[in-house]
Amino acid sequence: MTEAAGTIERLADQGHLIGEGWSAGDSAGRYEHHDPNTGQLQAAVPLAGAKEVDAAVTAAAAASAGWRAMPLEERAAILHRLADLLVEHDDTSAALNARDNGTPISTMRPGLYAAGWVRYYAGWVDKLTGTVVPISGGGLDYVLPEPYGVIGAIVPWNGPMMGMGQKVAPALAAGNTVVAKPPEIAPFGALRFAELALDAGLPPGVLNVVTGGADAGQALVRDPRVGKVSFTGGRLTAREVMIGAAETLKPLALELGGKSANIVFADADLDVAASLAVLFGVGLLSGQGCALPTRLYVQDDVYDEVVQRLIAQAESLAVGDPSDPATFMGPVVHERACERILGTIERAKSEGSGRLLTGGERLGGDLASGYYVSPTIFGDVEHGSDLATNEIFGPVLSVLRFSTEEEVVAKANDSDFGLGAYLHTRDASRVHRVAAALQAGMVIANGLPGMSPGAPFGGYKQSGFGREGGKWGIEEFVQPKNVFIAG
Ligand code: NAD
């Protein structure tokens, strides 16, 4: 048995982290977790329901006062130790991630990534200052950033350990305790993060992790003791989350989906633009990323040339076992995802809303038992079609033509989403002009998003609200308290 397989078995047996220890409570049943590379059953994951969530929130509430009162240097030291452990065990975490959700070890280093966020927010522990409000007359008017108490963190399956870094680290740094809920389809990165947090000396109850689906999510969102919920997922689920949160008028931060436009102007460096368009619009995470550039606009003059390059690049992507360091693109997360993506491709083919340029099928041969969809590109996609409008969350790139800057900005913005937007041009003034006009929380010119822990990440429109990263990310987890003392 490989080390990663052993870790998965151990984590599934242990179950949830609730207060002082692990519990394999399965009041919502069990989930059969399959290796995305081979399709083989590798664990029966216990699923939390209302009962386990109630216990986890109780533990988090009980730990709240102690965590808040802990000397700041101790709180920061624990987070720094956690970052050290995440770095130390990065190889294991990458191997685990490959079996958790199929992400190749060559493309994502979840331990290093999460460590960067944990270390960044450890630095905020003693820098989250208040404000004195200038007033007329005597007295003192000041504002304190106060933690909410217990935070609910619904972390995504496409980067469970990374999601813990993005949500849990700032929540803890700000003095909150946390109940995190990874989904059953890829819970192991979040559970491993929790193990390392305990090893780092995090007191029991400060971080609790319950694996589960909709039942656990709703229980967390509706619990009146949870002060705020930070949710990552799809927009339809987000509506359910909002309905649940409405019961107690609970504040939310929502990190939702996207259909990020990627605009290639004729003056761009076409080598860079075409290469990144495929590596990150098709290959990375097999297209299962919220902010990936999946809607590609290419200017008329260079359309044919770019399309030739896209096809060549897609057909040379190294697809295969995510545990192999030579692999760039792995399988999708599970059988249902594979079938859903292939269904979208078949519908697009029969509707004729785009021309299939390459891919479009399930991979066979050595990969037949895994959840592999071939790198797929549709050209001449119609604006307004399903392919151009909706998130596919698979290795499928939609390519559209445009002729003018004004036209492409209007088309890029004609979307319910507004998470990321990308452009390629050598014209510096166009970069600024188009970046200003694009309706997205993040605009990237001539490259890739850095996903720096210091920068705000989040969406416009139906891509959500609230931010992860930087001062914006920690401010999500405090509320301002105004104190006025009469003079
Ligand atoms: P999903 O909406 O189906 O599930 C998200 C989470 O919500 C899971 O933990 C799930 O268990 C939970 N859930 C399901 N029903 C619920 C309910 N009724 N109440 C409360 N919780 C419930 O999303 P998914 O398909 O697992 O993930 C893909 C989506 O997530 C895509 O839209 C993607 O773009 C988005 N995403 C966004 C980001 C970001 O940071 N913006 C990152 C990753 C993924």
Side-chain angles (χ1 to χ4, degrees), residues 197-356:
L198 290 184
D199 290 349
L202 198 72
V206 172
L207 172 61
N208 307 271
V209 182
V210 286
T211 299
D215 292 349
Q218 276 298 312
L220 190 57
V221 164
R222 287 173 190 267
D223 193 309
R225 296 166 296 171
V226 174
K228 181 166 184 175
V229 167
S230 175
F231 167 85
T232 297
R235 59 180 166 159
L236 297 179
T237 314
R239 287 183 199 152
E240 298 295 318
V241 167
M242 290 183 93
I243 291 167
E247 211 168 81
T248 53
L249 299 176
K250 186 167 293 161
L252 298 168
L254 300 179
E255 296 290 345
L256 310 179
K259 186 78 182 180
S260 300
N262 180 10
I263 306 169
V264 178
F265 289 97
D267 69 343
D269 179 333
L270 298 185
D271 284 337
V272 170
S275 173
L276 294 184
V278 172
L279 290 175
F280 296 89
V282 183
L284 190 74
L285 295 171
S286 302
Q288 302 166 112
C290 50
L292 295 173
T294 52
R295 186 165 52 114
L296 178 65
Y297 291 93
V298 184
Q299 200 157 19
D300 274 333
D301 297 355
V302 293
Y303 183 90
D304 292 336
E305 186 183 349
V306 168
V307 160
Q308 289 315 312
R309 291 178 193 229
L310 297 175
I311 296 169
Q313 177 92 31
E315 291 176 353
S316 66
L317 273 180
V319 183
D321 181 353
S323 304
D324 181 341
T327 294
F328 186 84
M329 182 178 131
V332 297
V333 67
H334 53 32
E335 177 65 31
R336 271 180 295 125
C338 203
E339 287 168 9
R340 179 183 51 75
I341 295 160
L342 291 166
T344 303
I345 292 170
E346 282 312 311
R347 271 196 311 281
K349 276 163 57 179
S350 63
E351 285 165 7
S353 52
R355 199 158 52 85
L356 182 64

Side-chain angles (χ1 to χ4, degrees), residues 154-158 181 183-184 212-214 217-218 231-234 237 240-241 255-258 290 391 393 419 457:
I154 298 182
V155 296
W157 55 261
N158 62 348
K181 192 206 77 65
E184 67 280 26
Q218 276 298 312
F231 167 85
T232 297
T237 314
E240 298 295 318
V241 167
E255 296 290 345
L256 310 179
C290 50
E391 201 177 19
F393 234 57
L419 192 53
F457 177 70

Side-chain angles (χ1 to χ4, degrees), residues 11 19 38 61 77 93 114 127 165 198 301 364 372 390 422 435 446:
L11 292 170
T38 61
S93 298
K127 295 174 192 71
L198 290 184
D301 297 355
Y372 286 92
N390 294 316
Y422 302 72
N446 301 324

